[in-house]
Amino acid sequence: MIKVLFSARPAAWDEYEAPLRRAFDAAGLDCDLSRDHAPQDTQYIVFAPTGPVKDFTPYVNTRLVMGLWAGVETVVGNTTLTQPLARMVDDGLTRGMVEYVVGHVMRHHLGMDAHLAGQDGVWRDTVYPPLAKDRPITVLGLGALGAACGQALAALGFPVTGWSRSQKQIDGLTCLSGDDGLTTALTGAQGVVLLLPQTPATDSILNARSLALLEPGAFIVNPGRGPLIDDAALLAALGSGQVGAATLDVFRKEPLAADDPYWSHPRVTVTPHIASTTRPDTAAQVIAENIRRGAAGLPFLHLVDRKAGY
């Protein structure tokens, strides 16, 4: 019997236990799923940083640690974690992120905020928005989430440029990489979607210099990681009109302080880290598949590159 330890916040057990057991049964796996396995008996760990396992040293027979979150920045630097680590790549999480990104890009593209704020009985002359084909969008980060969001936007007619640390080839997108590629990707962009991982190399990737490359009045959508943005630089760009609007779902410190200027800024929408989340039913299938692969001697899926940080 395969010993699987569940290590996440207590409430997550109620959400995940039944879906995991169903997924194990469907995959033909004989798994003993528990929150209480002894470290030396544990073969697989279903893991979230909010759970009790912080020191992985005693888990000498653990073959794989499987994260429940897409991001791994809170655990990848744990020096006790010598076991292979898999991040969560989940269709439910991906579809949720696509819906969030497309919704907010279309909101800014169509200028819907002006109409929502103008329900005062005044019939105003207005300027029609450009067609999608005339509004270039840049997606920073071309992992599973960024690629899916970029392709969804391209399907709506937006010219989409994607940028990543290493060169990618994704149908429907112009893919760039490297420092020069980043400059090209941002120059003249009218909208930027941030879906990069959080690493030292991506900290403040949107800063005064890079924001100045955008088409004046461009919008920002950040459902990725808070530290991707230099907050002072973004506030300055919003004040000058270089950035016309921003939808921010993630922040350097969460919850966002009640007196943070983002809350009251007329061109900023704050959402409380709800862009997307792991869905237990679909995430359980990903976990079961990795355990099935381990039992069959096949390579694990979605392994983290420790040096790269994602």
Side-chain angles (χ1 to χ4, degrees):
M1 184 172 286
I2 302 169
K3 301 284 189 181
V4 181
L5 176 69
F6 188 87
S7 176
R9 59 187 174 84
W13 174 253
D14 297 331
E15 300 170 3
Y16 278 91
E17 181 188 9
L20 282 168
R21 294 192 190 281
R22 288 195 298 268
F24 294 156
D25 289 343
L29 296 168
D30 186 13
C31 289
D32 179 7
L33 175 67
S34 172
R35 292 182 291 174
D36 301 313
H37 288 314
Q40 67 271 16
D41 296 331
T42 299
Q43 295 165 275
Y44 294 89
I45 301 176
V46 178
F47 173 82
T50 52
V53 176
K54 309 295 183 186
D55 182 358
F56 294 88
T57 306
Y59 294 88
V60 292
N61 295 311
T62 296
R63 300 188 60 191
L64 181 66
V65 176
M66 296 171 286
L68 287 173
W69 298 358
V72 295
E73 66 275 2
T74 58
V75 68
V76 72
N78 186 328
T79 57
T80 71
L81 178 59
T82 58
Q83 300 86 344
L85 172 66
R87 61 190 178 89
M88 178 54 65
V89 178
D90 161 37
D91 184 64
L93 187 153
T94 300
R95 298 317 307 168
M97 186 62 78
V98 167
E99 291 171 12
Y100 179 95
V101 166
V102 169
H104 284 281
V105 167
M106 289 302 296
R107 169 192 157 208
H108 293 307
H109 169 60
L110 296 173
M112 293 173 68
D113 287 8
H115 300 291
L116 292 171
Q119 301 295 301
D120 55 3
V122 178
W123 188 276
R124 295 176 174 83
D125 291 332
T126 187
V127 177
Y128 286 98
L131 294 175
K133 70 180 182 64
D134 298 317
R135 192 184 294 278
I137 304 293
T138 290
V139 177
L140 299 184
L142 291 175
L145 298 178
C149 290
Q151 288 184 310
L153 293 170
L156 291 170
F158 293 100
V160 179
T161 298
W163 181 87
S164 55
R165 185 180 66 89
S166 57
Q167 185 63 36
K168 302 286 183 69
Q169 184 172 349
I170 299 170
D171 290 344
L173 309 188
T174 299
C175 297
L176 302 173
S177 62
D179 292 343
D180 290 343
L182 180 62
T183 297
T184 301
L186 291 175
T187 298
Q190 294 184 28
V192 178
V193 178
L194 288 161
L195 284 166
L196 286 161
Q198 181 182 329
T199 70
T202 62
D203 190 281
S204 295
I205 196 165
L206 275 194
N207 51 47
R209 188 196 72 81
S210 55
L211 288 168
L213 298 172
L214 307 180
E215 182 78 9
F219 61 81
I220 308 295
V221 178
N222 184 17
R225 292 291 180 264
L228 301 176
I229 292 177
D230 178 330
D231 295 312
L234 177 57
L235 287 166
L238 285 160
S240 71
Q242 175 63 16
V243 172
T247 295
L248 308 176
D249 187 58
V250 287
F251 305 91
R252 287 182 180 270
K253 185 176 180 180
E254 297 180 1
L256 189 65
D259 61 351
D260 191 283
Y262 281 141
W263 283 114
S264 58
H265 199 291
R267 295 182 179 180
V268 174
T269 298
V270 171
T271 60
H273 206 142
I274 48 82
S276 191
T277 189
T278 307
R279 269 65 174 181
D281 284 340
T282 48
Q285 296 170 29
V286 176
I287 291 165
E289 173 59 15
N290 250 343
I291 295 176
R292 186 197 70 79
R293 295 175 74 88
L298 298 172
F300 293 121
L301 299 174
H302 316 311
L303 290 176
V304 172
D305 181 337
R306 305 293 180 84
K307 292 182 179 179
Y310 55 91

